């Protein structure tokens, strides 16, 4: 009678499960727990309280996967033990297909100390971390070398400092080849010209004038003076020091640099009506550097 009641309760709760009952081989000791009772397939007339492994319905896919992985003969069903703490079957997860698995990389198998400062795969290139962008330097240098073409606002408003620093150091190095040690003069004149230009633009513009943008614009427009320094150095080496012969080129370089700086400032701060007010101090600024170069 107890065995019949146990089977009846199991049949009543079977629709709540996900699949159908599994049948085990006849030579195995199989039990089913229901309402705190256990039933033995070998001795159906005995019952005992307790929580023992039981029949559990398993869906077809998991049953098929477990059967194929176990390699049982004839595709025998697999016995799934019950999680006694939660009262639910504990089914092993089905492994993902080979093409979906993450392949281990060299970093995974490498030294764990590589992760001390973060994942190396997330590191930026060295130039990007230093704030040096060669593409930005090239784009703004092309604006200086082609002063009469249309100037894009995004390029004009770029506040890159790496390019001006390179041009200033290059100019000082070329003057050193002529026997002129003007590092302090170049630094002092640059600081004075930048501060005066910042004050002048702040008085004329209706928008804030970033100091970094002023430094970037004046520094990039120093590129023609670096070209003048190249010609001056070659002139000193092969002809001698005669500033009168290179003076016309110096005047052209001064106008070139001043016009480029004026065009960039008027484009960045919308000061087209103040173009000549900006052109005059810019001409004086670059004339000083030209004088340092040829004299």
């Amino acid at each position: 009678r107890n065995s019949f009641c146990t089977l009846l309760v199991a049949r009543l709760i079977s629709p709540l499960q996900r699949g159908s009952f599994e049948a085990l081989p006849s030579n195995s000791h199989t039990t089913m727990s229901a309402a705190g009772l256990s039933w033995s397939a070998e001795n159906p007339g005995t019952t005992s309280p307790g929580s023992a492994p039981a029949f559990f319905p398993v869906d077809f896919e998991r049953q098929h996967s477990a059967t194929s992985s176990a390699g049982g003969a004839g595709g025998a069903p697999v016995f799934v033990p019950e999680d006694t703490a939660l009262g639910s079957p504990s089914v092993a997860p089905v492994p993902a297909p080979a093409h979906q698995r993450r392949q281990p990389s060299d970093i995974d198998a490498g030294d764990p100390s590589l992760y001390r400062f973060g994942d190396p795969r997330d590191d930026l290139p060295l130039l990007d971390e230093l704030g040096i962008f060669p593409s930005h330097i090239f784009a703004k240098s092309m604006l200086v070398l082609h002063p009469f073409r249309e100037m894009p606002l995004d390029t004009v408003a770029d506040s890159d400092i790496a390019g001006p620093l390179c041009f200033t150091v290059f100019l000082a190095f070329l003057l050193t080849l002529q026997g002129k040690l003007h590092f302090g003069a170049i630094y002092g004149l640059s600081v004075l010209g930048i501060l005066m230009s910042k004050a002048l633009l702040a008085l004329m513009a209706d928008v804030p004038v970033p100091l970094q943008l002023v430094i970037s614009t004046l520094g990039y427009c120093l590129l023609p003076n670096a070209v003048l320094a190249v010609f001056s150095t070659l002139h000193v080496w092969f002809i001698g020091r005669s500033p009168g012969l290179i003076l016309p080129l110096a005047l052209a370089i001064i106008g070139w640099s001043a016009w480029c700086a004026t065009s960039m400032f008027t484009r960045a701060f919308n000061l087209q009506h103040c173009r000549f007010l900006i052109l005059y101090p810019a001409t004086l600024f670059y004339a000083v550097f030209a004088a340092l170069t040829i004299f």
Side-chain angles (χ1 to χ4, degrees):
R1 183 183 304 174
N2 292 336
S3 300
F4 175 77
C5 293
T6 303
L7 287 175
L8 181 60
V9 171
R11 291 295 183 180
L12 290 176
I13 65 173
S14 61
L16 300 178
Q17 305 295 332
R18 291 177 297 176
S20 59
F21 284 101
E22 288 183 324
L24 292 180
S26 58
N27 56 355
S28 62
H29 182 75
T30 310
T31 61
M32 179 176 65
S33 63
L37 299 177
S38 62
W39 173 77
S40 174
E42 295 180 355
N43 190 5
T46 61
T47 59
S48 61
S51 176
F55 281 104
F56 284 100
V58 180
D59 56 6
F60 178 76
E61 293 182 0
R62 290 186 177 179
Q63 179 180 356
H64 178 70
S65 174
T67 303
S68 59
S69 61
V78 178
F79 175 75
V80 182
E82 179 185 7
D83 188 349
T84 56
L86 300 178
S88 60
S90 57
V91 181
V94 180
H99 67 278
Q100 296 181 359
R101 298 175 188 171
R102 178 179 176 273
Q103 301 297 329
S105 61
D106 297 336
I107 298 178
D108 297 334
D111 189 1
S113 62
L114 294 175
Y115 294 92
R116 182 178 303 172
F117 302 104
D119 194 339
R121 289 169 291 187
D122 297 333
D123 290 344
L124 294 175
L126 179 60
L127 291 180
D128 292 352
E129 292 197 3
L130 295 176
I132 302 175
F133 303 97
S135 59
H136 296 189
I137 297 175
F138 178 79
K140 204 159 186 178
S141 299
M142 289 296 103
L143 288 184
V144 178
L145 296 178
H146 300 82
F148 297 104
R149 72 173 185 176
E150 182 67 22
M151 293 187 174
L153 183 59
D154 55 344
T155 306
V156 171
D158 187 9
S159 301
D160 178 67
I161 302 295
L165 182 61
C166 294
F167 298 151
T168 305
V169 173
F170 181 62
L171 176 61
F173 173 74
L174 291 175
L175 295 182
T176 304
L177 296 180
Q178 301 180 27
K180 304 174 184 178
L181 299 178
H182 290 329
F183 288 95
I186 292 175
Y187 176 76
L189 291 173
S190 299
V191 172
L192 181 62
I194 288 169
L195 294 179
M196 296 301 293
S197 299
K198 168 72 166 62
L200 180 63
L201 292 172
L203 292 174
M204 293 188 294
D206 297 330
V207 295
V209 179
L211 180 61
Q212 186 173 351
L213 181 57
V214 177
I215 297 173
S216 177
T217 302
L218 293 178
Y220 270 103
C221 294
L222 200 63
L223 177 59
N225 281 80
V227 177
L228 176 63
V230 173
F231 283 99
S232 179
T233 302
L234 296 177
H235 184 272
V236 170
W237 283 0
F238 296 103
I239 298 177
R241 194 178 301 276
S242 55
L245 296 178
I246 204 172
L247 183 59
L249 178 61
L251 294 177
I253 292 295
I254 293 171
W256 184 1
S257 298
W259 181 263
C260 289
T262 303
S263 300
M264 288 187 180
F265 283 137
T266 55
R267 183 75 173 92
F269 304 113
N270 195 19
L271 294 174
Q272 283 76 11
H273 59 286
C274 302
R275 176 180 295 271
F276 293 101
L277 293 177
I278 301 174
L279 181 62
Y280 176 68
T283 303
L284 296 179
F285 177 76
Y286 292 108
V288 174
F289 284 96
L292 288 176
T293 303
I294 65 176
F295 295 108

